[in-house]
């Protein structure tokens, strides 16, 4: 008898191209792992009321590894039924939840805007369950974005647990970096308070952004690069100017982990 899906249905809100920033990062950073895999399977977990994000994920990942297949998993059976007409070679939709009801262990699990409705104290168990389903060398990417994908923050985790936090934004619409705080994933959103490391990081990035204001005449991209380079002296960033140019910055999880001493 098949296991009952684990989890609860999300609101299902989705839009085409909403997850482009996350997908772009995954393709750049995780592409080598997809190419090394004998069976590169990616999961779009909780894709919502329409299948657009899974369709787009397949197209984008295949630019890195043409053998990649994508499985969209939804806990709402009506959403699975609605997505079935979009199935094609390399793309399938199945009913399920956090148990990831696949025979193969995926090389990638993407869970965007899924844990927002859960309590903070439930996140660690969900992360552990999903990481346990990953193939060796696999990656879980869990995060939150706004409705049209201008602002996005996600945590990347391996089978051993969380590794990094990435902040990504459309620079032309950014007033200050701390605007991204409203899109922090559930593990961090309630920690954006004085004394917590994520608050200190955004505070420092805001200060660097303000100091870099003269570079705005060269464009928001140059201002962002200058600000991120400034905070790299005090925070363990894992990326470089090639990603900063995309409106991103990635920080080691160990530096932003809730409860870490920032004194």
């Amino acid at each position: 008898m098949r296991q009952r899906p684990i989890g609860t249905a999300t609101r299902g809100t989705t839009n085409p191209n909403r997850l482009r920033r996350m997908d772009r990062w995954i393709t750049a950073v995780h592409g080598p792992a997809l190419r090394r895999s004998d069976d590169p399977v990616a999961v779009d977990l909780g894709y919502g009321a329409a299948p657009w994000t899974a369709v787009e994920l397949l197209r984008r990942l295949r630019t890195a590894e043409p053998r990649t297949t994508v499985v969209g998993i939804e806990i709402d059976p009506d959403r699975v039924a609605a997505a079935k007409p979009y199935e094609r070679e390399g793309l399938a939709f199945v009913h399920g939840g956090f148990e990831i009801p696949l025979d193969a262990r995926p090389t990638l699990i993407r869970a965007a805007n899924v844990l927002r409705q859960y309590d903070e104290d439930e996140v660690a168990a969900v992360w552990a369950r999903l990481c346990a389903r990953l193939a060796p060398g696999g990656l879980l990417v869990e995060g939150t974005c706004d409705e049209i994908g201008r602002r996005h923050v996600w945590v990347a985790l391996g089978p051993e647990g969380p590794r990094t936090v990435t902040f990504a934004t459309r620079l032309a619409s950014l007033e200050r970096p701390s605007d991204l705080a409203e899109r922090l994933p559930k593990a961090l959103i309630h920690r954006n308070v004085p004394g917590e490391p994520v608050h200190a990081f955004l505070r420092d990035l805001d200060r660097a952004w303000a100091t870099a204001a003269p570079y705005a005449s060269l464009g928001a991209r140059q201002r962002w690069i200058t600000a991120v380079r400034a905070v790299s002296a005090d925070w363990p960033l894992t990326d470089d100017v090639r990603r900063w140019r995309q409106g991103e910055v990635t920080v080691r999880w160990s530096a932003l982990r809730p409860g870490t001493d920032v004194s």
Side-chain angles (χ1 to χ4, degrees):
M1 184 176 180
R2 185 178 172 182
Q3 179 183 3
R4 181 179 178 181
I6 298 171
T8 57
T10 65
R11 291 185 304 158
T13 304
T14 189
N15 283 304
N17 221 26
R18 185 182 188 186
L19 302 182
R20 62 194 179 279
R21 299 183 193 283
M22 180 184 275
D23 291 351
R24 183 172 60 197
W25 183 88
I26 290 171
T27 301
V29 173
H30 199 51
L34 294 172
R35 291 189 287 272
R36 288 192 299 268
S37 174
D38 293 332
D39 184 19
V41 175
V43 167
D44 186 11
L45 180 62
Y47 57 84
W52 318 134
T53 60
V55 173
E56 293 166 350
L57 182 63
L58 177 65
R59 183 178 73 247
R60 290 163 182 159
L61 292 183
R62 283 196 163 180
T63 65
E65 173 46 69
R67 297 176 300 123
T68 303
T69 61
V70 169
V71 181
I73 296 179
E74 249 296 338
I75 202 167
D76 184 335
D78 291 338
R79 294 174 185 172
V80 177
K84 284 291 185 180
Y86 293 87
E87 289 189 335
R88 55 187 172 87
E89 184 274 325
L91 179 63
F93 297 93
V94 302
H95 182 220
F98 296 138
E99 76 285 358
I100 310 296
L102 304 178
D103 293 334
R105 290 185 178 273
T107 309
L108 169 72
I109 299 173
R110 184 188 67 181
N113 304 300
V114 172
L115 296 186
R116 192 79 166 177
Q117 68 188 26
Y118 289 79
D119 292 334
E120 181 183 355
D121 60 9
E122 296 178 278
V123 172
V126 173
W127 279 358
R129 181 181 291 276
L130 294 177
C131 287
R133 294 291 292 126
L134 290 171
L139 190 74
L140 165 64
V141 181
E142 187 272 309
T144 305
C145 69
D146 65 3
E147 288 73 12
I148 58 175
R150 290 174 302 176
R151 297 171 184 169
H152 208 153
V153 187
W154 60 81
V155 181
L157 307 93
E160 79 288 352
R163 296 173 177 172
T164 60
V165 183
T166 298
F167 301 79
T169 186
R170 181 178 181 270
L171 292 171
S173 64
L174 185 70
E175 182 175 347
R176 62 180 65 85
S178 60
D179 291 345
L180 284 158
E182 66 183 21
R183 297 301 165 182
L184 287 167
K186 179 59 73 169
L188 294 172
I189 193 165
H190 300 302
R191 302 296 183 145
N192 185 34
V193 294
E196 287 284 349
V198 70
H199 181 273
F201 174 73
L202 289 172
R203 176 203 64 204
D204 289 356
L205 193 53
D206 273 356
R207 290 173 177 171
W209 176 257
T211 300
Y215 288 85
S217 62
L218 302 176
R221 177 178 292 173
Q222 289 303 317
R223 184 179 182 183
W224 175 262
I225 291 171
T226 302
V228 171
R229 184 175 284 117
V231 299
S232 69
D234 299 310
W235 293 91
L237 308 187
T238 65
D239 51 4
D240 57 29
V241 69
R242 290 171 296 179
R243 303 312 311 167
W244 303 344
R245 288 177 58 83
Q246 304 296 327
E248 299 172 7
V249 59
T250 298
V251 191
R252 292 194 185 281
W253 168 260
S254 58
L256 300 187
R257 184 176 55 239
T260 302
D261 185 6
V262 293
S263 60

